[in-house]
């Protein structure tokens, strides 16, 4: 790709089914503060973990195309579920470089001493061929305990990161891992880093938590450098470049978490990104009403 100076100043698109990608955005702003970002939360249709494969692919492509129309020079699919399900398909259809995310099985295999690690991710991620291949490639002698985190994305989407009900849910997922001797926990969904404190209150120091957001920011840096698309910080810039926040729902929770997590009090635009499957869904909803 032949990059012009204008291409370098174009924004990076980051997208997630909802608010989870903010954990990736935080790492990107820290490592690459000169990069402008357009963040899209598809909260109207979250969680993806309960959707069928075609729905997830349809949304990933539609949002990728929308971000290209907004001038994005690269796309971070900051969603393990969308990556697992559709990144190969979408990669072939968008004219910009893509970075996906995947559960940190490789770092878990490198770090675990007990050789037992838990992976908490959505059902769609865990059942995907991509995840199975990841385990086959990197787990080696590591025993991997895969646990679908039913209900956790929904909790984060309503900004619940520590209610008593959430702690009960989490304990149900984590206690069997502890009982089986797991010393490492892979956070295989970008929503889960928000649950760090809640998880710690259950596992204490008995588990190392693996969050791949910093590795994703580094991968983005490599990909941008490879395509000569890295932005340069303007002379004397003290603040990270601005982020444009967009949501397919009203955006109130996105605004709340962006303020809590990133310390950014930014307005959130509500955007319409129709796609084949949501047109069908909206039609069904209308006829049922
Ligand atoms: N943050 C998404 C992930 O990393 C959540 C998927 C969902 O909406 O279920 O998998």
């Amino acid at each position: 790709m032949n990059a012009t100076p204008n291409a370098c100043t174009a924004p990076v698109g980051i997208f997630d089914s909802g608010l989870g990608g903010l954990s990736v955005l935080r790492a990107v702003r820290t490592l690459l503060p000169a990069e402008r970002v357009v963040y899209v939360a598809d909260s109207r249709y979250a969680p993806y973990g309960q959707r069928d494969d075609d729905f997830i692919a349809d949304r990933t492509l539609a949002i990728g195309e929308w971000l290209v129309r907004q001038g994005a020079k690269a796309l971070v699919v900051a969603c393990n579920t969308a990556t697992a399900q559709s990144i190969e398909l979408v990669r072939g259809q968008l004219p910009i470089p893509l970075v996906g995310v995947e559960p940190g099985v490789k770092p878990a295999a490198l770090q675990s001493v007990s050789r037992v690690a838990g992976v908490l991710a959505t059902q769609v991620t865990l059942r995907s061929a991509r995840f199975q291949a990841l385990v086959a490639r990197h787990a080696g002698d590591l025993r991997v305990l895969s646990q679908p985190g039913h209900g956790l994305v929904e909790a984060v989407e309503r900004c619940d990161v520590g209610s008593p009900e959430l702690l009960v849910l989490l304990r149900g997922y984590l206690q069997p891992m502890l009982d089986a001797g797991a010393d490492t926990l892979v956070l295989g969904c970008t929503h889960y880093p928000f649950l760090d404190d809640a998880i710690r209150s259950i596992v204490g120091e008995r588990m190392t938590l693996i969050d791949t957001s910093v590795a994703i920011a580094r991968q983005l840096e490599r990909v941008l450098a490879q395509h000569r698309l890295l932005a340069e910080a303007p002379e004397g810039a003290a603040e990270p470049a601005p982020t444009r926040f967009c949501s397919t729902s009203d955006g109130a929770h996105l605004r709340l978490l962006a303020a809590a997590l990133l310390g950014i009090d930014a307005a959130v635009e509500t955007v319409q990104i129709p796609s084949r499957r949501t047109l069908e869904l909206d039609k069904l909803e209308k006829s049922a009403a």
Side-chain angles (χ1 to χ4, degrees):
M1 195 174 294
N2 257 343
T4 62
N6 276 353
C8 294
T9 58
V12 170
I14 299 184
F15 126 79
D16 180 41
S17 61
L19 313 182
L22 290 178
S23 59
V24 176
L25 174 64
R26 174 174 52 180
V28 168
R29 281 169 58 91
T30 305
L31 184 73
L32 303 169
E35 298 298 340
R36 292 195 295 127
V37 173
V38 182
Y39 182 90
V40 176
D42 198 16
S43 292
R44 175 155 182 209
Y45 302 106
Y48 282 3
Q50 286 169 8
R51 302 283 186 183
D52 63 70
D53 294 355
D54 176 66
F55 188 94
I56 299 166
D58 176 59
R59 293 308 291 157
T60 307
L61 183 60
I63 294 168
E65 287 173 340
W66 186 86
L67 280 163
V68 169
R69 288 198 296 278
Q70 306 306 304
K73 63 182 175 185
L75 171 65
V76 181
V77 180
C79 176
N80 290 266
T81 308
T83 301
Q85 217 311 294
S86 50
I87 196 152
E88 292 317 330
L89 187 128
V90 173
R91 207 187 284 284
Q93 303 202 31
L94 293 182
I96 55 173
L98 257 69
V99 174
V101 301
E102 57 190 14
V105 172
K106 191 177 173 185
L110 290 173
Q111 289 178 38
S112 170
V113 174
S114 70
R115 307 314 291 155
V116 185
V119 178
L120 203 53
T122 68
Q123 179 86 63
V124 172
T125 299
L126 295 176
R127 68 152 198 252
S128 68
R130 205 179 155 93
F131 178 71
Q132 302 301 330
L134 187 72
V135 171
R137 204 163 57 244
H138 296 297
D141 69 337
L142 183 77
R143 190 171 152 222
V144 174
L145 307 174
S146 298
Q147 172 62 58
H150 297 304
L152 300 180
V153 168
E154 290 89 331
V156 174
E157 285 293 308
R158 47 173 196 271
C159 291
D160 172 5
V161 293
S163 69
E165 298 74 30
L166 175 69
L167 291 181
V168 169
L169 195 63
L170 271 172
R171 185 173 288 283
Y173 298 150
L174 299 173
Q175 193 60 50
M177 295 181 186
L178 290 170
D179 294 345
D183 65 352
T184 308
L185 176 66
V186 175
L187 304 178
C189 167
T190 53
H191 280 71
Y192 300 167
F194 292 107
L195 305 176
D196 251 32
D197 290 347
I199 292 172
R200 278 272 166 243
S201 75
I202 296 167
V203 306
E205 294 307 314
R206 283 174 290 173
M207 283 177 137
T208 303
L209 306 191
I210 299 199
D211 160 17
T212 51
S213 48
V214 174
I216 298 156
R218 286 206 198 100
Q219 175 63 5
L220 173 65
E221 184 179 34
R222 274 192 291 273
V223 167
L224 291 177
Q226 201 185 330
H227 289 83
R228 301 214 180 100
L229 285 170
L230 271 173
E232 269 176 42
E235 200 114 323
E239 292 289 312
T243 296
R244 178 180 162 204
F245 290 95
C246 305
S247 173
T248 53
S249 76
D250 71 12
H253 286 175
L254 176 58
R255 184 166 193 167
L256 214 70
L257 269 204
L261 185 78
L262 305 167
I264 305 175
D265 184 20
V268 176
E269 290 168 49
T270 297
V271 294
Q272 311 278 343
I273 308 181
S275 63
R276 174 175 53 84
R277 292 295 301 276
T278 60
L279 288 175
E280 272 168 27
L281 205 69
D282 292 349
K283 230 186 268 168
L284 282 177
E285 273 175 14
K286 248 188 219 149
S287 59

